[in-house]
Amino acid sequence: MGRGRNSGPARQRPHLTTPSSGGRFAVLAVLSLDGVLSAIAGAFLLPLYVGSIPLPISGLISGLVNVALVWAALQWVSSPRLAALPLWAWLVTALGLTLGGPGDDIVLSGAGIMQLAPLIFVVLGGGPPAYLLWRLTSRVGA
């Protein structure tokens, strides 16, 4: 197009590639909010039935979403403890959903096999991202 300012070699501009601490905080806050939304959506869809058989597929989907959230957090921070923030937000929300609300309605409960819904939800939703963080910290420590 023109010769303008292009007289020397291309340079890296660190102020454009390195995120500020405020940007990291904002991204971690959004990822934590996504962890809360993942827990709410997964808990409300947990009592999904195929015929008369309960199918807790939302717990597995929530676990995969949580792995993606933790992985995204790992791209923004170097500490696995900070990267676990979306998982902690998910766990606190899942714990809150086991408590009674204003009308004593409990989201994660049910009759029969669905009495195990909180355990199934925590294992399927929290297990995969916890395993990812455990593998990461075991490699760093070795």
Side-chain angles (χ1 to χ4, degrees):
M1 296 280 285
R3 292 195 176 290
R5 304 170 92 190
N6 223 357
S7 60
R11 296 177 294 154
Q12 186 72 20
R13 294 182 171 81
H15 67 282
L16 295 177
T17 58
T18 305
S20 65
S21 61
R24 290 175 197 228
F25 176 76
V27 169
L28 282 176
V30 168
L31 290 173
S32 298
L33 177 66
D34 290 340
V36 170
L37 294 175
S38 169
I40 291 171
F44 282 134
L45 295 175
L46 191 63
L48 179 70
Y49 282 84
V50 175
S52 63
I53 300 170
L55 186 68
I57 192 74
S58 68
L60 183 61
I61 292 171
S62 187
L64 294 175
V65 167
N66 289 338
V67 167
L69 293 175
V70 169
W71 178 82
L74 282 169
Q75 304 307 310
W76 284 89
V77 294
S78 58
S79 169
R81 290 182 183 191
L82 282 176
L85 196 57
L87 176 61
W88 283 111
W90 182 88
L91 283 171
V92 167
T93 305
L95 176 67
L97 291 172
T98 62
L99 304 173
D104 288 332
D105 293 335
I106 300 174
V107 175
L108 289 176
S109 68
I113 191 75
M114 290 310 291
Q115 288 178 344
L116 296 175
L119 179 64
I120 292 169
F121 190 60
V122 168
V123 169
L124 291 177
Y131 179 74
L132 172 71
L133 288 168
W134 176 75
R135 291 286 297 173
L136 179 71
T137 56
S138 66
R139 278 192 220 153
V140 171

